[in-house]
């Protein structure tokens, strides 16, 4: 079974966590001081100036609570870049830039059924300043149907049970815009203790609530995205492990008779992506003692690509067992990929090794050529014609033949093995692999050679997955 490197990456920590924690502590201390001042400023509620002052204290506490929440979100950090972007907030209307411009006051006299509104309240509610203020009976006409019971309950509790009002509801302005209003109010008692009027301040908190909702929806979307990504990654890994050869370490083929090939392979996942790609390697004993060697790469990542890779590899094995030559096999794989529901591109190299003549017959489809290592030197085999799988209908593929010797090493790989450094990634990998020839000459098994490749490439910042397959001619 191939080995996989799937260490979880630590989540990026937001900068300045210490200073933000300090700001949160200062905000909470300020909330405590503000609350103490508010309690000291309590009065009997008969002086309108005292009521206004106390209401502003209460609103300041609400603002500090909001600030505390925003600082906590800042400390926890913004969503990662893979998250869906939050919807841009609409610009605030003119005159809503400061706290006071978004706070209005009103008083409803229960004895005369008269109402008085501040100019700021007219602006918040979108009403014509020349129009008379709405009475308590008329006020619900501005409120969304879903929020009217909430407003009615708050006003009833204030007038009947002398409870303070502290709640939010949504209003519909004459232009159709929906705004969220935070209302704080209290009864004003007559000399006999009965409720003479109700006084309230109203704050427009629409932008704040939209911002909070956007943050919440973004985080929810991020969690769903992460869950989907984790599920897809798990399925892709399981499918890949089920399809790739189950052997690890050394494999010797054929199973019956003299062991002519010593084989080893490794799958190397991308070090910059958590997604599983469409790379594969395979070694299969064929009827008559021949051996099929192949590596390939289907472009893309994820379950769909891994599924396509499984389809190609299954077809390749079946056609090879039926005796199909490498060139014709590539042509049929191209036709198969060209007719799939989801078109894709792929590259592959396919070799048939005949042990009785030590002959390697091979074909390729837009793929790096096999490398031959002999007596401490390495070279790239001459490449027959062959375009990428799925690139064009009816493509034909040439074949090449190479006679091997005992001790020769054949190396197949996919082109994601090394990053490009002024050259194509495949060219860079070939040069570095050929430079390993002296080290290969000192090894005894194909598995030792694979370990050498992993030492050279295993820690590279590969942008794609890669496979390497090595076959040593033993007799």
């Amino acid at each position: 079974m191939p080995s996989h490197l799937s260490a979880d990456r630590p989540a990026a920590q937001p900068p300045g966590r210490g200073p933000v924690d300090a700001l949160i502590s200062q905000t909470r201390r300020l909330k405590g001081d503000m609350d103490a001042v508010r309690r000291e400023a309590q009065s009997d509620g008969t002086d309108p100036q005292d009521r206004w002052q106390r209401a502003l204290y209460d609103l300041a506490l609400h603002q500090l609570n909001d600030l505390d929440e925003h600082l906590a979100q800042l400390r926890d950090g913004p969503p990662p870049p893979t998250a869906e972007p939050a919807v841009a907030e609409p610009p605030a209307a003119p005159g809503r830039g400061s706290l006071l411009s978004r706070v209005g006051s009103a008083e409803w006299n229960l004895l005369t059924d008269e109402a008085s509104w501040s100019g700021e309240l007219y602006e918040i509610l979108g009403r014509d300043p020349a129009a008379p203020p709405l009475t308590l009976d008329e006020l619900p006409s501005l409120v969304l149907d879903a929020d009217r019971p909430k407003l009615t309950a708050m006003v009833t509790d204030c007038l009947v049970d002398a409870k303070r009002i502290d709640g939010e509801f949504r209003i519909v302005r004459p232009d159709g815009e929906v705004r969220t209003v935070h209302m704080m109010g209290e009864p004003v008692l007559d000399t006999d203790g009965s409720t003479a009027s109700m006084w309230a301040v109203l704050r427009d908190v629409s932008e704040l609530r939209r911002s909070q909702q956007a943050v919440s929806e973004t985080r929810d979307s991020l969690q769903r995205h992460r869950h989907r990504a984790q599920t897809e990654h798990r399925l892709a890994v399981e499918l890949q492990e089920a399809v790739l050869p189950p052997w690890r370490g050394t494999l010797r083929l054929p199973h019956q008779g003299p062991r002519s090939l010593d084989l080893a392979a490794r799958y190397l996942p991308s070090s910059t992506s958590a997604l599983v790609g469409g790379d594969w390697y395979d070694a299969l004993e064929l009827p008559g003692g021949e051996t099929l060697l192949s590596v390939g790469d289907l472009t893309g990542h994820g379950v769909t690509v891994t599924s396509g890779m499984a389809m190609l590899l299954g077809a390749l094995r079946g056609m090879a067992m039926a005796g199909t030559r490498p060139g014709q096999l590539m042509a049929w794989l191209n036709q198969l990929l060209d007719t799939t529901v989801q078109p894709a591109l792929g590259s592959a190299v396919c070799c048939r090794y005949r042990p009785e003549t030590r002959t390697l017959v091979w074909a390729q489809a837009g793929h790096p050529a096999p490398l031959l290592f002999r007596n401490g030197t390495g070279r790239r085999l001459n490449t027959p014609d062959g375009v990428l799988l799925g690139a064009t209908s009816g493509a034909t593929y040439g074949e090449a033949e190479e006679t091997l010797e005992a001790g020769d090493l054949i190396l197949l790989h996919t082109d994601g093995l090394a990053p490009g450094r002024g050259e194509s990634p495949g060219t860079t990998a070939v040069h570095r692999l050929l430079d390993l020839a002296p080290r290969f000459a000192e090894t005894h098994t194909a598995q030792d050679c694979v370990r050498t490749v992993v030492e050279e490439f295993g820690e590279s910042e590969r942008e794609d997955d890669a496979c390497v397959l090595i076959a040593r001619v033993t007799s």
Side-chain angles (χ1 to χ4, degrees), residues 73 78-90 210-222:
Q73 293 172 351
T82 55
E84 297 176 8
V87 178
E89 294 297 329
R210 285 199 188 100
S211 175
Q212 292 171 333
Q213 182 179 3
V215 169
S216 176
E217 290 176 350
T218 300
R219 293 192 182 278
D220 289 344
S221 176
L222 175 61

Side-chain angles (χ1 to χ4, degrees), residues 75-273:
R75 178 193 60 196
D76 295 338
T82 55
E84 297 176 8
V87 178
E89 294 297 329
R96 293 182 186 165
S98 67
L99 171 63
L100 291 181
S101 68
R102 288 185 291 152
V103 177
S105 63
E107 185 166 0
W108 289 274
N109 191 307
L110 303 182
L111 303 179
T112 63
D113 202 27
E114 294 177 340
S116 61
W117 287 4
S118 67
E120 292 82 7
L121 184 56
Y122 276 96
E123 182 181 347
I124 290 172
L125 301 181
R127 305 285 294 179
D128 183 357
L134 299 181
T135 66
L136 279 179
D137 291 335
E138 296 170 331
L139 184 62
S141 65
L142 300 179
V143 181
L144 282 179
D145 292 344
D147 291 356
R148 285 179 185 173
K150 183 189 305 183
L151 173 63
T152 300
M154 288 191 298
V155 171
T156 300
D157 288 344
C158 178
L159 298 181
V160 176
D161 299 325
K163 292 182 179 179
R164 298 191 64 198
I165 292 176
D166 188 349
E168 295 182 6
F169 52 87
R170 291 163 297 173
I171 59 99
V172 181
R173 292 160 53 95
D175 59 5
E177 181 183 9
V178 176
R179 308 292 294 180
T180 302
V181 174
H182 183 190
M183 181 176 183
M184 299 177 61
E186 59 184 27
V188 178
L189 303 181
D190 205 348
T191 54
D192 60 359
S194 61
T195 302
S197 63
M198 189 187 82
W199 186 83
V201 292
L202 294 94
R203 178 172 64 129
D204 186 346
V205 295
S206 303
E207 279 73 24
L208 174 62
R209 297 300 175 247
R210 285 199 188 100
S211 175
Q212 292 171 333
Q213 182 179 3
V215 169
S216 176
E217 290 176 350
T218 300
R219 293 192 182 278
D220 289 344
S221 176
L222 175 61
Q223 290 177 352
R224 292 192 298 271
H225 175 76
R226 284 175 174 169
H227 178 71
R228 288 195 301 268
Q230 290 170 354
T231 300
E232 179 174 339
H233 180 267
R234 184 180 68 254
L235 291 175
V237 168
E238 291 175 352
L239 179 59
Q240 183 189 60
E241 291 182 343
V243 172
L244 292 184
W247 47 270
R248 62 174 68 233
T250 298
L251 175 68
R252 295 184 181 274
L253 293 178
H255 293 295
Q256 304 295 327
R259 305 294 193 258
S260 59
L261 289 182
D262 172 25
L263 298 158
R266 183 71 64 88
Y267 171 84
L268 299 171
S270 167
S271 55
T272 61
S273 173

Side-chain angles (χ1 to χ4, degrees), residues 1-6 237 240-241 244-249 265-270 281 447 450 454 462 465-467:
M1 220 175 258
S3 61
H4 298 277
L5 303 179
S6 57
V237 168
Q240 183 189 60
E241 291 182 343
L244 292 184
W247 47 270
R248 62 174 68 233
R266 183 71 64 88
Y267 171 84
L268 299 171
S270 167
Y281 65 87
Q447 182 66 15
V450 167
V454 173
R462 289 183 308 279
D465 299 2
C467 290

Side-chain angles (χ1 to χ4, degrees), residues 307-327:
S307 177
M309 177 269 288
M311 175 192 67
L312 286 181
L313 186 52
L316 186 152
R317 289 169 175 169
M319 289 187 289
M321 290 295 289
T324 307
R325 293 181 58 87

